[in-house]
Amino acid sequence: MKVLILIALLATPAMAQETNVTLHITFDAASATRLQQSGEMVIVSSTFWGDPATGNLLPVNEMGQLYLGAEQATVWPNEQTISIGHSLAGAPVGNVEAPMVNVNVYSARITDENNLLNCGIVDGPTDALSKSTQEIACKLIGG
């Protein structure tokens, strides 16, 4: 059994999957001003998973997906470009049909207990998303 688990962990996908995704995050004037004046920061939260590939022996979650990890960055509320997916270098991506990512951006709740931002999301296969920079625009909730 240990040999099968080791083989499953070392499996490589039939086709190489790109796992790094570039995000371009922008803030409208009102959100940038409010967050900067209050000293509030922004969280970029990325969760990675995939549907299990044939032969996968690793445990799946209640939705039948294999969890591949997460990344979180705390950044200033300024227009910027960041790259995500570096943590997948050690993940068992060969055990999924295609690595997937869900990215959410929200205020860090340092100076206000509520999330102040309404930001777009990025959600889908990392390979397709890696082909171009993904835009995430943020504005104040209700703004």
Side-chain angles (χ1 to χ4, degrees), residues 68-97:
L68 296 175
E71 295 176 11
Q72 183 171 300
T74 304
V75 300
W76 289 102
N78 297 315
E79 179 177 344
Q80 59 193 285
T81 301
I82 66 172
S83 180
I84 61 165
H86 307 289
S87 65
L88 290 179
V93 295
N95 287 54
V96 297
E97 291 176 6

Side-chain angles (χ1 to χ4, degrees), residues 5-135:
I5 292 173
L6 181 59
I7 290 170
L9 288 172
L10 297 176
T12 56
M15 192 182 321
Q17 296 285 326
E18 180 59 52
T19 57
N20 292 336
V21 176
T22 302
L23 307 172
H24 181 238
I25 305 167
T26 58
F27 301 86
D28 70 358
S31 65
T33 299
R34 170 119 181 242
L35 273 62
Q36 290 169 5
Q37 287 179 345
S38 68
E40 187 64 78
M41 306 266 308
V42 175
I43 304 278
V44 180
S45 176
S46 308
T47 304
F48 301 93
W49 79 93
D51 291 323
T54 303
N56 172 59
L57 298 176
L58 296 176
V60 295
N61 64 19
E62 63 278 355
M63 296 188 61
Q65 300 166 330
L66 182 63
Y67 175 74
L68 296 175
E71 295 176 11
Q72 183 171 300
T74 304
V75 300
W76 289 102
N78 297 315
E79 179 177 344
Q80 59 193 285
T81 301
I82 66 172
S83 180
I84 61 165
H86 307 289
S87 65
L88 290 179
V93 295
N95 287 54
V96 297
E97 291 176 6
M100 305 288 283
V101 66
N102 176 269
V103 181
N104 288 289
V105 179
Y106 49 90
S107 60
R109 296 176 174 98
I110 294 170
T111 61
D112 192 307
E113 65 184 31
N114 299 306
N115 175 31
L116 304 173
L117 292 174
N118 177 11
C119 301
I121 64 168
V122 171
D123 189 62
T126 60
D127 192 43
L129 295 171
S130 71
K131 305 284 189 251
S132 62
T133 299
Q134 302 303 305
E135 300 290 334

